[in-house]
Amino acid sequence: DPVRALVASTLPGLALAFTAAGALVAVAAPVLVRALAPGLPDHALAVDCTRLTATCVVSFGLAGYCSAALRAHRRFLAPAAIYVAYNTGIVAVMFVLGGRWGVRSAAAGVAVGGVLMVAAQLPSLLRRLKRHEGERPSVVADEAARPLAVALFATVLLFALCRQSQVLIERFLASGLPSGAISHLNYAQKVAQIPMTLSLMLCTVTFPVVARALADGDTERARDRVERDVALAACLVLLGAATVVACAPQIVQLLFQRGAFTAADTAATAGVMRVYALGLLGQTVVGALARSYFSAGRASWYPLGAMAVGVVATAVAGASAVGPWGVSGIAAANAAGITVTAALLLAGMGPRSVPVRVRRVLGDLGRAVPAA
């Protein structure tokens, strides 16, 4: 089992790295909060919440690792269940501690939910990786996997970090705006990205199919699969984006308008949701094509470069737009940056990835976008 060899050679080192990074986040929380959100009025509260969620560096890292290993074995139920476990942890802790800890209970719930994400997958993963009686470990496989794994993990990890930095840029810019701006961004982003999440489920399931086709040298089958995935995912996400644009106020009012969440908050969040919807196609294309680059079984730095260009575009556009347009300007910058990344990833498809027919993909997208 090559997956077992890969896990044996990479998991111990990654677990140690995750632990060290989590400890560093906890210790450096005051510095991180001031650097990432200098405009927050309650610095001490943010530091407490950051320290409580520092454990997520370990739990989220291990949860993602377990999900990848299970998907490589074509096992999708346990990875899909982690979000149920995660949200159950958050809700349970807030229910028990909300009255005494306030917002800190939400941070503690995130920490507990992260642990439950790992626990939900461990039994299934251990069953898949359990060595059969009498089977000897493959030293050759371990040694062959190690240099490949280091390069692949470096490119995938840096790409993921660069992509997540878009959120950090948004929070940095919004921390200086009036109270509630970060919440409006967060609510709008979470709801607006639901169509993207649903559309990318298709690519998650077919990712092992593409990787297997490339490993077998069948680039035509891999190309056809990626082209169909991008076309179908684009149709799904554009349908969701159209729904968000048309019904944003009603969606937000139904989900959130109660208690301290007023009608003004609904209007502000709905406006941001509509702007975020403009970037959903770019988000989906990036998610689908990035998997194609990494499914080739070799390290590729091109996706990281494309994502870095998009992040720079987000930062520059956000800094220029936050003054006149506030949170809507930040959301527009996000949409612009991720669209730039999507265009670069599509333009770079070829020998370094799956050789899709770019004109055909653009033709499919060109018909779907006006319809939406």
Side-chain angles (χ1 to χ4, degrees), residues 63-64 66-71 74-88 116-122 124 197-198 200-202 204-205:
C66 293
S67 296
L70 286 169
R71 287 167 182 160
R74 310 286 183 90
R75 295 296 182 269
F76 301 101
L77 180 59
I82 63 176
Y83 302 107
V84 176
Y86 175 61
N87 287 309
T88 299
L116 294 178
M117 289 169 70
V118 180
Q121 299 180 95
L122 270 182
S124 180
T197 303
L198 294 176
L200 286 179
M201 286 180 180
L202 170 70
T204 299
V205 174

mmCIF file of all heavy atoms in Angstrom, residues 63-64 66-71 74-88 116-122 124 197-198 200-202 204-205:
data_model
loop_
_atom_site.group_PDB
_atom_site.id
_atom_site.type_symbol
_atom_site.label_atom_id
_atom_site.label_comp_id
_atom_site.label_asym_id
_atom_site.label_seq_id
_atom_site.Cartn_x
_atom_site.Cartn_y
_atom_site.Cartn_z
ATOM 1 N N ALA A 63 -6.550 16.518 10.880
ATOM 2 C CA ALA A 63 -7.831 16.179 10.260
ATOM 3 C C ALA A 63 -7.726 16.205 8.737
ATOM 4 O O ALA A 63 -8.232 15.303 8.041
ATOM 5 C CB ALA A 63 -8.912 17.142 10.734
ATOM 6 N N GLY A 64 -7.081 17.221 8.210
ATOM 7 C CA GLY A 64 -6.892 17.286 6.759
ATOM 8 C C GLY A 64 -6.025 16.158 6.235
ATOM 9 O O GLY A 64 -6.273 15.602 5.163
ATOM 10 N N CYS A 66 -5.678 13.143 7.620
ATOM 11 C CA CYS A 66 -6.479 11.914 7.658
ATOM 12 C C CYS A 66 -7.472 11.875 6.500
ATOM 13 O O CYS A 66 -7.679 10.820 5.874
ATOM 14 C CB CYS A 66 -7.225 11.815 8.984
ATOM 15 S SG CYS A 66 -6.175 11.581 10.436
ATOM 16 N N SER A 67 -8.082 13.006 6.198
ATOM 17 C CA SER A 67 -9.031 13.055 5.088
ATOM 18 C C SER A 67 -8.358 12.701 3.774
ATOM 19 O O SER A 67 -8.905 11.939 2.953
ATOM 20 C CB SER A 67 -9.662 14.448 4.991
ATOM 21 O OG SER A 67 -10.428 14.747 6.135
ATOM 22 N N ALA A 68 -7.163 13.244 3.565
ATOM 23 C CA ALA A 68 -6.442 12.967 2.321
ATOM 24 C C ALA A 68 -6.090 11.486 2.205
ATOM 25 O O ALA A 68 -6.230 10.885 1.135
ATOM 26 C CB ALA A 68 -5.176 13.820 2.264
ATOM 27 N N ALA A 69 -5.636 10.889 3.312
ATOM 28 C CA ALA A 69 -5.280 9.468 3.286
ATOM 29 C C ALA A 69 -6.497 8.599 3.008
ATOM 30 O O ALA A 69 -6.432 7.626 2.246
ATOM 31 C CB ALA A 69 -4.632 9.082 4.610
ATOM 32 N N LEU A 70 -7.627 8.932 3.605
ATOM 33 C CA LEU A 70 -8.839 8.142 3.378
ATOM 34 C C LEU A 70 -9.357 8.309 1.945
ATOM 35 O O LEU A 70 -9.814 7.343 1.319
ATOM 36 C CB LEU A 70 -9.913 8.549 4.384
ATOM 37 C CG LEU A 70 -9.681 8.057 5.820
ATOM 38 C CD1 LEU A 70 -10.648 8.739 6.787
ATOM 39 C CD2 LEU A 70 -9.831 6.547 5.903
ATOM 40 N N ARG A 71 -9.290 9.526 1.430
ATOM 41 C CA ARG A 71 -9.745 9.738 0.056
ATOM 42 C C ARG A 71 -8.862 9.005 -0.936
ATOM 43 O O ARG A 71 -9.331 8.559 -1.995
ATOM 44 C CB ARG A 71 -9.780 11.238 -0.252
ATOM 45 C CG ARG A 71 -10.934 11.967 0.431
ATOM 46 C CD ARG A 71 -10.753 13.467 0.368
ATOM 47 N NE ARG A 71 -11.835 14.156 1.069
ATOM 48 C CZ ARG A 71 -11.739 15.402 1.505
ATOM 49 N NH1 ARG A 71 -10.616 16.099 1.334
ATOM 50 N NH2 ARG A 71 -12.763 15.965 2.134
ATOM 51 N N ARG A 74 -10.249 5.857 -1.536
ATOM 52 C CA ARG A 74 -11.630 5.954 -2.012
ATOM 53 C C ARG A 74 -12.627 5.810 -0.859
ATOM 54 O O ARG A 74 -13.692 5.194 -1.021
ATOM 55 C CB ARG A 74 -11.916 4.896 -3.089
ATOM 56 C CG ARG A 74 -10.907 4.841 -4.225
ATOM 57 C CD ARG A 74 -11.076 6.014 -5.177
ATOM 58 N NE ARG A 74 -10.149 5.917 -6.297
ATOM 59 C CZ ARG A 74 -10.434 5.294 -7.447
ATOM 60 N NH1 ARG A 74 -11.609 4.734 -7.615
ATOM 61 N NH2 ARG A 74 -9.565 5.253 -8.435
ATOM 62 N N ARG A 75 -12.306 6.366 0.278
ATOM 63 C CA ARG A 75 -13.211 6.353 1.426
ATOM 64 C C ARG A 75 -13.615 7.797 1.715
ATOM 65 O O ARG A 75 -12.776 8.618 2.085
ATOM 66 C CB ARG A 75 -12.543 5.726 2.658
ATOM 67 C CG ARG A 75 -12.202 4.257 2.507
ATOM 68 C CD ARG A 75 -13.458 3.415 2.344
ATOM 69 N NE ARG A 75 -13.163 1.981 2.248
ATOM 70 C CZ ARG A 75 -12.943 1.333 1.127
ATOM 71 N NH1 ARG A 75 -12.948 1.993 -0.019
ATOM 72 N NH2 ARG A 75 -12.720 0.029 1.123
ATOM 73 N N PHE A 76 -14.915 8.114 1.544
ATOM 74 C CA PHE A 76 -15.362 9.499 1.621
ATOM 75 C C PHE A 76 -16.333 9.768 2.764
ATOM 76 O O PHE A 76 -16.611 10.924 3.077
ATOM 77 C CB PHE A 76 -16.025 9.902 0.295
ATOM 78 C CG PHE A 76 -15.113 9.779 -0.898
ATOM 79 C CD1 PHE A 76 -15.214 8.693 -1.749
ATOM 80 C CD2 PHE A 76 -14.146 10.734 -1.148
ATOM 81 C CE1 PHE A 76 -14.377 8.565 -2.847
ATOM 82 C CE2 PHE A 76 -13.296 10.620 -2.249
ATOM 83 C CZ PHE A 76 -13.415 9.530 -3.096
ATOM 84 N N LEU A 77 -16.865 8.736 3.400
ATOM 85 C CA LEU A 77 -17.866 8.948 4.434
ATOM 86 C C LEU A 77 -17.270 9.604 5.671
ATOM 87 O O LEU A 77 -17.801 10.609 6.171
ATOM 88 C CB LEU A 77 -18.531 7.616 4.816
ATOM 89 C CG LEU A 77 -19.613 7.708 5.891
ATOM 90 C CD1 LEU A 77 -20.732 8.629 5.441
ATOM 91 C CD2 LEU A 77 -20.162 6.321 6.221
ATOM 92 N N ALA A 78 -16.184 9.046 6.191
ATOM 93 C CA ALA A 78 -15.567 9.613 7.395
ATOM 94 C C ALA A 78 -15.072 11.046 7.169
ATOM 95 O O ALA A 78 -15.322 11.923 8.005
ATOM 96 C CB ALA A 78 -14.427 8.714 7.880
ATOM 97 N N PRO A 79 -14.371 11.355 6.048
ATOM 98 C CA PRO A 79 -13.998 12.759 5.818
ATOM 99 C C PRO A 79 -15.184 13.702 5.735
ATOM 100 O O PRO A 79 -15.097 14.860 6.140
ATOM 101 C CB PRO A 79 -13.228 12.700 4.482
ATOM 102 C CG PRO A 79 -12.693 11.316 4.417
ATOM 103 C CD PRO A 79 -13.735 10.454 5.062
ATOM 104 N N ALA A 80 -16.306 13.207 5.197
ATOM 105 C CA ALA A 80 -17.488 14.065 5.105
ATOM 106 C C ALA A 80 -18.122 14.298 6.470
ATOM 107 O O ALA A 80 -18.773 15.325 6.688
ATOM 108 C CB ALA A 80 -18.512 13.440 4.161
ATOM 109 N N ALA A 81 -17.933 13.366 7.392
ATOM 110 C CA ALA A 81 -18.570 13.466 8.710
ATOM 111 C C ALA A 81 -17.849 14.419 9.652
ATOM 112 O O ALA A 81 -18.386 14.757 10.715
ATOM 113 C CB ALA A 81 -18.645 12.080 9.357
ATOM 114 N N ILE A 82 -16.649 14.861 9.282
ATOM 115 C CA ILE A 82 -15.873 15.671 10.235
ATOM 116 C C ILE A 82 -16.552 17.005 10.529
ATOM 117 O O ILE A 82 -16.411 17.538 11.630
ATOM 118 C CB ILE A 82 -14.433 15.907 9.735
ATOM 119 C CG1 ILE A 82 -14.411 16.709 8.438
ATOM 120 C CG2 ILE A 82 -13.707 14.583 9.559
ATOM 121 C CD1 ILE A 82 -13.003 17.048 7.961
ATOM 122 N N TYR A 83 -17.303 17.542 9.578
ATOM 123 C CA TYR A 83 -17.916 18.841 9.813
ATOM 124 C C TYR A 83 -19.105 18.730 10.761
ATOM 125 O O TYR A 83 -19.419 19.672 11.485
ATOM 126 C CB TYR A 83 -18.317 19.465 8.474
ATOM 127 C CG TYR A 83 -17.134 19.608 7.555
ATOM 128 C CD1 TYR A 83 -16.981 18.785 6.448
ATOM 129 C CD2 TYR A 83 -16.130 20.532 7.839
ATOM 130 C CE1 TYR A 83 -15.871 18.891 5.628
ATOM 131 C CE2 TYR A 83 -15.021 20.639 7.022
ATOM 132 C CZ TYR A 83 -14.891 19.817 5.917
ATOM 133 O OH TYR A 83 -13.788 19.917 5.120
ATOM 134 N N VAL A 84 -19.760 17.577 10.751
ATOM 135 C CA VAL A 84 -20.806 17.335 11.744
ATOM 136 C C VAL A 84 -20.186 17.297 13.137
ATOM 137 O O VAL A 84 -20.696 17.911 14.089
ATOM 138 C CB VAL A 84 -21.549 16.026 11.435
ATOM 139 C CG1 VAL A 84 -22.583 15.729 12.520
ATOM 140 C CG2 VAL A 84 -22.208 16.092 10.062
ATOM 141 N N ALA A 85 -19.074 16.564 13.262
ATOM 142 C CA ALA A 85 -18.389 16.482 14.552
ATOM 143 C C ALA A 85 -17.880 17.858 14.996
ATOM 144 O O ALA A 85 -18.006 18.237 16.167
ATOM 145 C CB ALA A 85 -17.226 15.494 14.460
ATOM 146 N N TYR A 86 -17.338 18.608 14.057
ATOM 147 C CA TYR A 86 -16.784 19.938 14.356
ATOM 148 C C TYR A 86 -17.864 20.877 14.889
ATOM 149 O O TYR A 86 -17.710 21.499 15.953
ATOM 150 C CB TYR A 86 -16.154 20.491 13.079
ATOM 151 C CG TYR A 86 -15.640 21.896 13.157
ATOM 152 C CD1 TYR A 86 -14.636 22.256 14.053
ATOM 153 C CD2 TYR A 86 -16.143 22.875 12.304
ATOM 154 C CE1 TYR A 86 -14.155 23.555 14.096
ATOM 155 C CE2 TYR A 86 -15.667 24.174 12.337
ATOM 156 C CZ TYR A 86 -14.669 24.510 13.243
ATOM 157 O OH TYR A 86 -14.196 25.806 13.291
ATOM 158 N N ASN A 87 -18.973 20.960 14.168
ATOM 159 C CA ASN A 87 -20.034 21.875 14.591
ATOM 160 C C ASN A 87 -20.724 21.400 15.865
ATOM 161 O O ASN A 87 -21.179 22.218 16.672
ATOM 162 C CB ASN A 87 -21.049 22.033 13.459
ATOM 163 C CG ASN A 87 -20.496 22.868 12.316
ATOM 164 O OD1 ASN A 87 -19.992 23.955 12.538
ATOM 165 N ND2 ASN A 87 -20.575 22.340 11.117
ATOM 166 N N THR A 88 -20.805 20.088 16.044
ATOM 167 C CA THR A 88 -21.362 19.564 17.286
ATOM 168 C C THR A 88 -20.530 20.011 18.482
ATOM 169 O O THR A 88 -21.065 20.407 19.526
ATOM 170 C CB THR A 88 -21.425 18.027 17.240
ATOM 171 O OG1 THR A 88 -22.276 17.628 16.157
ATOM 172 C CG2 THR A 88 -21.973 17.463 18.545
ATOM 173 N N LEU A 116 -12.516 16.637 17.709
ATOM 174 C CA LEU A 116 -13.536 15.689 17.255
ATOM 175 C C LEU A 116 -13.400 15.379 15.760
ATOM 176 O O LEU A 116 -13.739 14.277 15.312
ATOM 177 C CB LEU A 116 -14.932 16.244 17.545
ATOM 178 C CG LEU A 116 -15.298 16.385 19.027
ATOM 179 C CD1 LEU A 116 -16.695 16.982 19.183
ATOM 180 C CD2 LEU A 116 -15.221 15.038 19.736
ATOM 181 N N MET A 117 -12.898 16.332 14.982
ATOM 182 C CA MET A 117 -12.670 16.076 13.558
ATOM 183 C C MET A 117 -11.658 14.955 13.353
ATOM 184 O O MET A 117 -11.813 14.107 12.462
ATOM 185 C CB MET A 117 -12.184 17.361 12.876
ATOM 186 C CG MET A 117 -13.233 18.437 12.724
ATOM 187 S SD MET A 117 -12.523 20.022 12.209
ATOM 188 C CE MET A 117 -12.056 19.670 10.526
ATOM 189 N N VAL A 118 -10.620 14.950 14.170
ATOM 190 C CA VAL A 118 -9.617 13.885 14.080
ATOM 191 C C VAL A 118 -10.198 12.573 14.581
ATOM 192 O O VAL A 118 -10.046 11.512 13.961
ATOM 193 C CB VAL A 118 -8.357 14.262 14.882
ATOM 194 C CG1 VAL A 118 -7.310 13.155 14.792
ATOM 195 C CG2 VAL A 118 -7.770 15.573 14.375
ATOM 196 N N ALA A 119 -10.895 12.637 15.728
ATOM 197 C CA ALA A 119 -11.452 11.425 16.325
ATOM 198 C C ALA A 119 -12.455 10.748 15.399
ATOM 199 O O ALA A 119 -12.569 9.512 15.389
ATOM 200 C CB ALA A 119 -12.106 11.765 17.656
ATOM 201 N N ALA A 120 -13.181 11.523 14.612
ATOM 202 C CA ALA A 120 -14.191 10.944 13.714
ATOM 203 C C ALA A 120 -13.566 10.120 12.596
ATOM 204 O O ALA A 120 -14.234 9.250 12.013
ATOM 205 C CB ALA A 120 -15.043 12.065 13.119
ATOM 206 N N GLN A 121 -12.304 10.373 12.281
ATOM 207 C CA GLN A 121 -11.664 9.684 11.159
ATOM 208 C C GLN A 121 -10.678 8.603 11.576
ATOM 209 O O GLN A 121 -10.359 7.715 10.773
ATOM 210 C CB GLN A 121 -10.915 10.700 10.279
ATOM 211 C CG GLN A 121 -11.796 11.764 9.677
ATOM 212 C CD GLN A 121 -11.011 12.726 8.818
ATOM 213 O OE1 GLN A 121 -10.919 12.582 7.613
ATOM 214 N NE2 GLN A 121 -10.424 13.717 9.452
ATOM 215 N N LEU A 122 -10.188 8.676 12.802
ATOM 216 C CA LEU A 122 -9.123 7.757 13.211
ATOM 217 C C LEU A 122 -9.504 6.281 13.076
ATOM 218 O O LEU A 122 -8.707 5.490 12.557
ATOM 219 C CB LEU A 122 -8.686 8.068 14.640
ATOM 220 C CG LEU A 122 -7.548 9.084 14.797
ATOM 221 C CD1 LEU A 122 -7.185 9.257 16.252
ATOM 222 C CD2 LEU A 122 -6.328 8.666 13.977
ATOM 223 N N SER A 124 -11.520 4.695 11.062
ATOM 224 C CA SER A 124 -11.518 4.288 9.657
ATOM 225 C C SER A 124 -10.114 4.283 9.080
ATOM 226 O O SER A 124 -9.725 3.360 8.344
ATOM 227 C CB SER A 124 -12.421 5.223 8.851
ATOM 228 O OG SER A 124 -12.434 4.857 7.489
ATOM 229 N N THR A 197 -18.632 25.315 -1.990
ATOM 230 C CA THR A 197 -18.341 24.076 -1.279
ATOM 231 C C THR A 197 -19.084 22.901 -1.903
ATOM 232 O O THR A 197 -18.521 21.816 -2.099
ATOM 233 C CB THR A 197 -18.740 24.213 0.203
ATOM 234 O OG1 THR A 197 -18.045 25.342 0.770
ATOM 235 C CG2 THR A 197 -18.376 22.966 0.983
ATOM 236 N N LEU A 198 -20.351 23.109 -2.241
ATOM 237 C CA LEU A 198 -21.137 22.036 -2.853
ATOM 238 C C LEU A 198 -20.581 21.656 -4.220
ATOM 239 O O LEU A 198 -20.504 20.469 -4.565
ATOM 240 C CB LEU A 198 -22.599 22.481 -2.984
ATOM 241 C CG LEU A 198 -23.356 22.702 -1.671
ATOM 242 C CD1 LEU A 198 -24.754 23.243 -1.947
ATOM 243 C CD2 LEU A 198 -23.433 21.419 -0.863
ATOM 244 N N LEU A 200 -17.492 21.939 -5.309
ATOM 245 C CA LEU A 200 -16.180 21.300 -5.227
ATOM 246 C C LEU A 200 -16.238 19.897 -4.645
ATOM 247 O O LEU A 200 -15.237 19.177 -4.676
ATOM 248 C CB LEU A 200 -15.223 22.169 -4.397
ATOM 249 C CG LEU A 200 -14.710 23.426 -5.094
ATOM 250 C CD1 LEU A 200 -13.784 24.218 -4.182
ATOM 251 C CD2 LEU A 200 -13.973 23.055 -6.385
ATOM 252 N N MET A 201 -17.396 19.489 -4.082
ATOM 253 C CA MET A 201 -17.518 18.101 -3.640
ATOM 254 C C MET A 201 -17.289 17.142 -4.802
ATOM 255 O O MET A 201 -16.718 16.060 -4.641
ATOM 256 C CB MET A 201 -18.905 17.864 -3.041
ATOM 257 C CG MET A 201 -19.094 18.469 -1.661
ATOM 258 S SD MET A 201 -20.757 18.158 -1.024
ATOM 259 C CE MET A 201 -20.637 18.979 0.573
ATOM 260 N N LEU A 202 -17.737 17.534 -5.992
ATOM 261 C CA LEU A 202 -17.536 16.711 -7.180
ATOM 262 C C LEU A 202 -16.046 16.495 -7.435
ATOM 263 O O LEU A 202 -15.589 15.368 -7.657
ATOM 264 C CB LEU A 202 -18.192 17.380 -8.382
ATOM 265 C CG LEU A 202 -17.871 16.772 -9.749
ATOM 266 C CD1 LEU A 202 -18.528 15.408 -9.872
ATOM 267 C CD2 LEU A 202 -18.345 17.686 -10.864
ATOM 268 N N THR A 204 -13.619 16.760 -5.317
ATOM 269 C CA THR A 204 -13.012 15.995 -4.234
ATOM 270 C C THR A 204 -13.131 14.497 -4.494
ATOM 271 O O THR A 204 -12.184 13.731 -4.290
ATOM 272 C CB THR A 204 -13.690 16.349 -2.893
ATOM 273 O OG1 THR A 204 -13.495 17.744 -2.632
ATOM 274 C CG2 THR A 204 -13.093 15.542 -1.754
ATOM 275 N N VAL A 205 -14.297 14.074 -4.978
ATOM 276 C CA VAL A 205 -14.521 12.653 -5.221
ATOM 277 C C VAL A 205 -13.747 12.166 -6.445
ATOM 278 O O VAL A 205 -13.237 11.037 -6.465
ATOM 279 C CB VAL A 205 -16.034 12.383 -5.387
ATOM 280 C CG1 VAL A 205 -16.288 10.940 -5.796
ATOM 281 C CG2 VAL A 205 -16.764 12.699 -4.090
#
